Amino acid sequence: MNEVHDAREALGARLRELRRRAGLTNRRLAQLCGWHESKVSKIEFARIRPSDDDIRAYCRHCDAEDQLPDLLATSNTIEVAYLEWRKILGTGLGRRQQKSLKLEAGAAHIRDFQPQIVPGLLQTAEYAAAKLRRGIEFHRVTDDVENAVSKRMERQRILYQRDHLFHFLIAEQALYTTVGDDAVMIGQLDRLSSLIGMPRVTIGIVPFTAEALVVSTNFAMFDNRLVMVEGTAAELTITQPREIDVYGRAFDILARQSETGEGARALIKAAVRRRTVPSGSS
């Protein structure tokens, strides 16, 4: 996969830069590490994948111990960071929901930004079924929508656990993007409004008119250790601390632009009225 190869090359380039900044030649670093000289070149030009011990040796001998956590995170996620949806969903959406359940159970603080739809943890069963059914059709995978909806509803129990905090940011567009039909959307919007003010749950709506300070696809943050990004063709898992920091800054900016409490309810009510007031009515 090109993305994996590119990631390996990027890791090799970072290690090469560490060595050069330390003033070490290939031969000298290999001597310090007890390696054959060719190993350094193979690592730096992505012909072999460095082990964790190899990366530790680079950081130790290049006086770059502060880079170790980020480099290890990068290396250990290269093979799994970019996964095609057909592989993820090949055994059914229910198993994908089970993976989400485990991720959510293991995080004390979950932050979720959705620019187009309502987050899974806030969805009604009808909204979830309509959304998942379209996903099955688009990705042409096994139809197990009933099991998937059941698992998604099971995931929502975590909202009531006292050892978890949630912050959901939803672009106002998501209040108008139709999933299912008007009845499904009205039920979903009513549910969303009812959740505002729930203990340990913050729901913010980023207005249509907010300045485009951050342009982003959807992403979910699990504490400060992992970010999941869902693309059209693939899912990306991010564990590199420096990249997680970027998503954290993006989330904070969007949060400052969002409406919460009664301001959020007002935006939701406006979206409900759009679906209940007959066309042409004043």
Side-chain angles (χ1 to χ4, degrees), residues 208-280:
F208 281 136
T209 55
E211 184 180 354
L213 299 178
V214 175
V215 178
S216 177
T217 184
N218 70 81
F219 63 91
M221 304 185 67
F222 300 89
D223 299 321
N224 286 314
R225 60 181 175 81
L226 186 148
V227 177
M228 297 291 293
V229 182
E230 295 182 358
T232 302
E235 179 181 80
L236 186 66
T237 302
I238 295 170
T239 58
Q240 297 91 331
R242 61 189 172 84
E243 294 188 17
I244 290 174
D245 286 345
V246 172
Y247 280 94
R249 290 200 306 274
F251 193 92
D252 290 344
I253 291 170
L254 291 164
R256 288 194 292 270
Q257 294 183 293
S258 71
E259 293 285 346
T260 58
E262 290 307 311
R265 278 202 179 94
L267 293 176
I268 294 170
K269 288 178 182 177
V272 172
R273 285 197 299 272
R274 183 68 176 267
R275 294 183 183 274
T276 54
V277 176
S279 178

Side-chain angles (χ1 to χ4, degrees), residues 107-114 119-122 158-159 164-170 192 195 198-206 219-223 247-248 250-261 264:
H109 187 196
I110 296 173
R111 289 165 284 176
D112 192 340
F113 170 63
Q114 288 289 344
L121 287 175
L122 306 180
I158 200 170
L159 294 173
H164 288 73
L165 290 174
F166 302 87
H167 193 163
F168 298 98
L169 292 177
I170 308 167
L192 193 59
L195 292 172
M198 182 178 175
R200 298 174 298 282
V201 176
T202 300
I203 296 175
I205 309 294
V206 183
F219 63 91
M221 304 185 67
F222 300 89
D223 299 321
Y247 280 94
F251 193 92
D252 290 344
I253 291 170
L254 291 164
R256 288 194 292 270
Q257 294 183 293
S258 71
E259 293 285 346
T260 58

Side-chain angles (χ1 to χ4, degrees), residues 49-60:
R49 178 184 174 185
S51 68
D52 288 359
D53 285 341
D54 293 338
I55 293 173
R56 290 188 182 97
Y58 259 90
C59 291
R60 182 169 61 253

Side-chain angles (χ1 to χ4, degrees), residues 87-97 141-144 147-148:
K87 293 180 180 178
I88 295 169
L89 305 178
T91 55
L93 272 69
R95 290 192 65 179
R96 177 62 184 83
Q97 295 301 308
V141 294
T142 303
D143 185 347
D144 67 338
N147 182 41

Side-chain angles (χ1 to χ4, degrees), residues 15 19 24-40 43-44 50-63:
L15 294 172
R19 176 180 59 77
L24 299 176
T25 64
N26 285 19
R27 178 176 296 178
R28 182 55 182 155
L29 180 60
Q31 289 173 343
L32 291 171
C33 296
W35 300 338
H36 188 280
E37 183 179 341
S38 66
K39 181 173 179 177
V40 175
I43 287 175
E44 294 180 0
S51 68
D52 288 359
D53 285 341
D54 293 338
I55 293 173
R56 290 188 182 97
Y58 259 90
C59 291
R60 182 169 61 253
H61 295 300
C62 296
D63 192 25

